[in-house]
């Protein structure tokens, strides 16, 4: 085929319709009719785990087949197919011939179809595999690994000479700005395939241009931006556009555009994050990409909904966990001014057989996304030490750290460490910066233990910057309580927990970044707790994004500049107490409460405003801050319906109701673990309890090793408190354990 004329230089054609899907592995030389007969028509994006991946228990992990009839792009010398995300591994065939295999479910990859389409249309067959293995991350984690071709697919038509398409899924263009006072020097590099004599004309915003020859498959130039306008987060997320035009005999035969920003940043152990030399506190949330009912096959509207929620909070940062997100979402963060932590899915348990895959996924993450102004760090792993951290783990992370700096010397490397990892472990200092995932006040200890832990670290290591990469508490809005307590899954406890954490963070500006876990509830097939199976409920909003939990407004009150007032507890409409507490969240300094239209009180303060209100019937409760108002309705009842509290295991009363015995001179569940472990028999009982708890939350609990520092915190707890935190423990099991302890003399 001849080189296309310039006006047909690059053709991009989405191919989302007319696919066939069979939920089994078919022969690689299967025809289109074979796949249609064995399966069903589907439109991409698609996942086969949209239902079972969110239902709890097992979900289908295995091999499935996708197929589509494709033709060469008209007048193009070469035709490529681009997959934006296929989970977890993909094999691409035409006519029984394996064209490519890609391992890693979250990054872009491309396949050259030119030769196999030379004789006309053919069936493109993709075998997709999300089954368990030891060589592709992730394998053990607290989220569902939805299988399928769940992001967009496009056909690309290019000329014989074109910008590189096969280099780690990257755009073929690299943009690296360096700031110097009021100007920026932008280093541009374009990779070219095809071999013909060519040159590249580089532009920035079509105002500055430079043409350079291609040598050894690469064209390099540096362009200066005078009086540069800096990308400065929410205040001014200004972006420039770099454009590379590939010229053959003076005619444009291919072109690539990337948007980028010019900014400087640093992390200081005492001042936190600095953007363009200014202190810029990174306070925000983490995000999983999946939505209720569709899994990870999300739409553009769903991406925009997530962005809108993050912006409504007033967050300055988002941790895009625990894998590479869709290219579109990084673009949205660039435009919005959100600072991004981007990472790969090396998570939970280190897999010696997957070190090559971790390097490949990190390479793809960086090569595909290093132009984004929003990204400031590359995350190497998350909680990778759940089952221990030997020399092989440390060595593998050092290699990843070096790889990241080689591919992108301009950004930091980061790690999110499990709260069980000792702070003096050599893994802690491998990346440039690190954060810890701390869950004191939910899985272990009390909320105030977060304060102590971070203060102790900062005092012991004043020269090391530390962040808080995860913290949170599960909440099912169905569950409400007048006396919320840790482990009860109530919306009200989650709000109280976050009230404490937001204040704790505010008092520690040296925390370089903090990320709430999580923006929204998400699918985790191994979970069955808090009244809902297959879901992690730590989100500030519901899985379908239609319900903002009260904790959402705690952060909106702390971070957002948009005036608002919100009365909490609207889902606890029925109340049995004579005098009830009404909580109002607002970013205004003064709130007035009206009961049935009459002023009941005015309070000045910050974020949370509390009022004691006598109730006797049905009441209209209105909070007013200036012109802002919000209203809920409450009703006095003799008894709260059972649906409003956790059944049988509600920790506010189930132990008391059981009246479990505590005989004098013998242990019971009300004794601390430290006291019980002084007895040899007691130590054996406690060991069995800890083993059971380690595996009670699905596969992520397998093989947990608890270091001495964490054991000290746990040992101060009573068995009763420990079980309350675990949640969903049948009273029969607790009674049996108490009976065992009653036989052991103190």
């Amino acid at each position: 085929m001849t080189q296309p004329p310039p006006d047909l230089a690059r053709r991009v054609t989405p191919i989302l319709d007319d696919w066939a899907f069979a939920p089994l592995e078919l022969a690689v030389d299967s025809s289109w009719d074979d796949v249609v007969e064995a399966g069903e028509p589907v439109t991409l994006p698609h996942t086969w785990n949209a239902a079972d991946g969110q239902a709890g228990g097992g979900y289908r992990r295995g091999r499935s087949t996708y197929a589509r009839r494709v033709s060469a792009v008209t007048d193009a010398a070469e035709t490529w197919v681009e997959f934006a995300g296929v989970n977890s591994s993909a094999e691409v065939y035409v006519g029984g011939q394996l064209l490519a295999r890609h391992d890693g479910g979250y990054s872009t990859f491309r396949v050259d179809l030119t030769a196999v389409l030379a004789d006309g249309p053919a069936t493109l067959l993709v075998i997709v595999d999300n089954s368990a293995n030891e060589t592709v991350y992730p394998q053990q984690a607290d989220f569902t690994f939805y299988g399928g071709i769940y992001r967009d697919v496009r056909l690309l038509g290019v000329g014989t000479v074109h910008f590189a398409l096969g280099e780690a899924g990257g755009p073929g263009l690299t943009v690296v700005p360096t700031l110097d006072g009021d100007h920026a020097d932008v280093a541009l590099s374009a990779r070219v395939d095809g071999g013909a004599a060519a040159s590249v004309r580089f532009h920035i915003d079509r105002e500055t241009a430079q043409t350079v020859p291609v040598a050894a498959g690469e064209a390099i130039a540096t362009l200066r931006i005078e009086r540069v306008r800096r990308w400065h987060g929410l205040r001014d997320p200004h972006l420039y556009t770099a454009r590379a035009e590939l010229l053959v005999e003076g005619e444009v035969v291919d072109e690539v555009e990337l948007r980028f920003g010019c900014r400087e940043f640093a992390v200081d152990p005492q001042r936190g994050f600095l953007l363009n030399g200014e202190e810029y506190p990174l306070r925000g949330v983490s995000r999983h990409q999946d939505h209720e009912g569709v899994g990870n096959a999300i739409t553009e509207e769903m991406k925009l909904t997530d962005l809108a929620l993050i912006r409504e909070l007033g967050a300055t940062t988002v941790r895009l966990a625990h894998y590479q997100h869709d290219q579109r979402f990084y673009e949205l963060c660039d435009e919005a001014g959100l600072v991004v932590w981007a990472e790969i899915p090396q998570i939970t348990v280190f897999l010696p057989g997957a070190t090559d895959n971790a390097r490949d996924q990190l390479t793809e993450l960086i090569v595909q996304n290093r132009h984004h102004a929003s990204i400031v760090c590359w995350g190497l792993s998350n909680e990778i030490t759940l089952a221990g951290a030997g020399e092989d783990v440390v060595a593998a992370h050092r290699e990843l750290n070096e790889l990241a700096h080689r591919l992108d010397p301009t950004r930091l490397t980061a790690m999110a460490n499990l709260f069980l990892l000792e702070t003096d472990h050599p893994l802690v200092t491998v990346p440039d910066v690190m954060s810890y995932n701390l869950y004191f006040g939910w899985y272990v200890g009390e909320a105030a233990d977060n304060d102590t832990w971070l203060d102790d670290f900062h005092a012991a290591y004043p020269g090391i910057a530390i962040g808080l990469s995860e913290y949170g508490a599960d909440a099912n809005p169905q569950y409400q309580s007048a006396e919320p307590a840790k482990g009860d899954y109530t919306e009200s406890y989650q709000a109280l927990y976050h009230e404490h954490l937001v204040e704790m963070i505010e008092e520690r500006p040296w925390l370089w970044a903090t990320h709430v876990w999580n923006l929204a509830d998400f699918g985790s097939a191994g979970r069955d707790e808090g009244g809902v199976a297959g879901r992690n409920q730590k989100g500030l909003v519901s899985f379908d994004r239609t319900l903002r939990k009260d904790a959402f407004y705690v952060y909106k009150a702390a971070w957002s500049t948009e005036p608002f007032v919100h009365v909490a507890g609207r889902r606890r409409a029925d109340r049995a107490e004579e005098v009830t507490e009404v909580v109002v969240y607002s970013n205004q300094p003064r709130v007035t409460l009206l009961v049935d239209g009459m002023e009941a009180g005015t309070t000045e303060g910050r974020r949370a405003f509390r009022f004691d209100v006598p109730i006797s019937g049905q009441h209209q409760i209105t909070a007013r801050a200036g012109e802002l108002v919000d209203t809920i309705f409450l009703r006095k009842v003799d008894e709260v319906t059972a649906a409003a509290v956790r059944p049988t295991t509600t920790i506010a009363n189930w132990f008391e109701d059981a009246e479990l015995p505590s005989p004098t001179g013998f242990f019971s569940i009300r004794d601390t673990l430290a006291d019980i472990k002084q007895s040899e028999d007691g130590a054996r009982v406690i060991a069995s309890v800890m083993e059971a708890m380690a595996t009670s939350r699905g596969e992520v609990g397998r093989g947990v090793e608890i270091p001495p520092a964490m054991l000290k915190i746990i040992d101060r707890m009573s068995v009763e408190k420990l079980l309350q935190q675990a949640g969903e423990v049948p009273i029969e099991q607790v009674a049996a354990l108490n009976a065992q302890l009653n036989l052991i003399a103190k």
Side-chain angles (χ1 to χ4, degrees), residues 53-81:
Q54 302 175 357
Y59 63 105
R60 192 174 78 80
R61 296 184 63 182
R63 295 168 71 84
S64 294
T65 306
Y66 290 85
R68 191 187 194 277
R69 295 289 289 172
V70 294
S71 302
V73 176
T74 303
D75 293 327
E78 296 182 10
T79 297
W80 293 64
V81 60

Side-chain angles (χ1 to χ4, degrees), residues 336-542:
L338 289 167
V339 173
V340 168
W341 169 323
E343 66 189 36
I344 59 172
Q346 183 172 226
I347 183 169
T348 308
V349 175
F350 178 72
L351 302 175
T355 53
D356 288 344
N357 181 252
R359 285 192 291 268
D360 290 345
Q361 293 205 49
L362 183 62
T363 299
E364 291 176 331
L365 173 70
I366 295 174
V367 170
Q368 293 173 25
N369 296 288
R370 57 192 166 192
H371 61 285
H372 287 295
S374 56
I375 298 174
V376 300
C377 63
W378 306 115
L380 306 180
S381 65
N382 176 78
E383 296 189 354
I384 197 63
T385 58
L386 187 73
E391 281 299 320
D392 55 344
V393 180
V394 177
H397 279 75
R398 284 178 177 148
E399 288 184 18
L400 286 176
N401 193 60
E402 293 169 2
L403 173 64
H405 287 134
R406 187 164 63 251
L407 292 171
D408 180 12
T410 72
R411 286 182 177 84
L412 303 170
T413 54
M415 282 180 61
N417 293 318
L418 181 68
F419 72 124
L420 301 175
L421 182 67
E422 293 284 13
T423 56
D424 60 354
H425 193 282
L427 195 62
V428 173
T429 55
V430 168
D432 299 319
V433 293
M434 61 83 197
S435 292
Y436 264 78
N437 298 348
L438 300 182
Y439 285 100
F440 299 114
W442 185 245
Y443 291 129
V444 68
E446 304 299 330
D449 289 328
N450 293 288
D451 314 33
T452 303
W453 194 98
L454 289 166
D455 288 344
D456 288 348
F457 182 97
H458 190 55
Y461 308 102
I464 299 177
I466 186 169
L468 189 53
S469 40
E470 288 184 25
Y471 63 98
D474 289 80
N476 180 343
Q478 174 187 345
Y479 297 146
Q480 305 289 332
S481 175
E483 298 179 353
K486 177 179 59 182
D488 66 2
Y489 291 85
T490 62
E491 182 180 16
S492 37
Y493 177 76
Q494 185 194 43
L496 283 173
Y497 167 92
H498 283 293
E499 280 187 45
H500 177 87
L501 265 293
V502 77
E503 182 175 354
M504 184 276 292
I505 290 167
E506 196 172 78
E507 293 172 351
R508 291 159 178 81
W510 38 264
L511 290 168
W512 80 270
T514 63
H515 296 93
V516 176
W517 192 258
N518 192 51
L519 170 65
D521 295 348
F522 58 91
S524 181
R527 283 182 177 255
D528 186 0
E529 57 187 86
V532 179
R535 188 174 304 179
N536 185 308
Q537 299 181 87
K538 292 186 182 66
L540 300 179
V541 302
S542 59

Side-chain angles (χ1 to χ4, degrees), residues 112-127:
D112 187 355
L113 302 180
T114 307
V116 295
L117 297 180
D119 296 328
T123 297
L124 177 68
L125 190 139
V126 186
I127 304 294

Side-chain angles (χ1 to χ4, degrees), residues 423-662:
T423 56
D424 60 354
H425 193 282
L427 195 62
V428 173
T429 55
V430 168
D432 299 319
V433 293
M434 61 83 197
S435 292
Y436 264 78
N437 298 348
L438 300 182
Y439 285 100
F440 299 114
W442 185 245
Y443 291 129
V444 68
E446 304 299 330
D449 289 328
N450 293 288
D451 314 33
T452 303
W453 194 98
L454 289 166
D455 288 344
D456 288 348
F457 182 97
H458 190 55
Y461 308 102
I464 299 177
I466 186 169
L468 189 53
S469 40
E470 288 184 25
Y471 63 98
D474 289 80
N476 180 343
Q478 174 187 345
Y479 297 146
Q480 305 289 332
S481 175
E483 298 179 353
K486 177 179 59 182
D488 66 2
Y489 291 85
T490 62
E491 182 180 16
S492 37
Y493 177 76
Q494 185 194 43
L496 283 173
Y497 167 92
H498 283 293
E499 280 187 45
H500 177 87
L501 265 293
V502 77
E503 182 175 354
M504 184 276 292
I505 290 167
E506 196 172 78
E507 293 172 351
R508 291 159 178 81
W510 38 264
L511 290 168
W512 80 270
T514 63
H515 296 93
V516 176
W517 192 258
N518 192 51
L519 170 65
D521 295 348
F522 58 91
S524 181
R527 283 182 177 255
D528 186 0
E529 57 187 86
V532 179
R535 188 174 304 179
N536 185 308
Q537 299 181 87
K538 292 186 182 66
L540 300 179
V541 302
S542 59
F543 201 1
D544 64 2
R545 275 63 166 181
T546 62
L547 185 151
R548 293 161 175 79
K549 303 178 190 179
D550 284 338
F552 179 94
Y553 295 96
V554 174
Y555 288 97
K556 186 172 181 178
W559 298 338
S560 177
T561 57
E562 177 188 358
F564 84 99
V565 62
H566 169 79
V567 184
R570 64 192 58 222
R571 282 167 285 278
R572 192 166 77 87
D574 291 347
R575 306 193 180 190
E577 60 268 30
E578 300 292 334
V579 177
T580 193
E581 181 182 64
V582 174
V583 181
V584 178
Y585 297 122
S586 178
N587 54 8
Q588 301 302 292
R590 182 183 177 93
V591 172
T592 297
L593 196 75
L594 294 87
V595 178
D596 301 326
M598 303 294 292
E599 286 195 14
T602 297
T603 300
E604 295 182 352
R606 297 178 65 245
R607 292 192 297 270
F609 303 81
R610 289 180 155 78
F611 302 87
D612 289 330
V613 177
I615 54 176
S616 56
Q618 182 163 312
H619 302 282
Q620 176 180 302
I621 308 295
T622 298
R624 187 176 65 205
E627 299 298 316
L628 304 167
V629 295
D630 188 39
T631 297
I632 68 171
F633 293 89
L634 303 182
R635 182 170 57 249
K636 174 70 171 67
V637 296
D638 294 332
E639 185 177 359
V640 176
T641 60
V645 294
R646 291 180 62 215
T648 67
T649 56
T650 302
I651 70 167
N653 60 23
W654 70 291
F655 284 116
E656 289 79 0
D657 291 349
E659 297 182 354
L660 299 177
S662 302

Side-chain angles (χ1 to χ4, degrees), residues 205 229-233 236-240 260-262 334 373:
D205 284 357
R229 182 174 170 184
R230 298 186 178 216
W231 187 93
H232 198 82
D236 187 9
H238 182 74
L239 297 171
Y240 291 92
F260 69 98
C262 297
D334 290 344

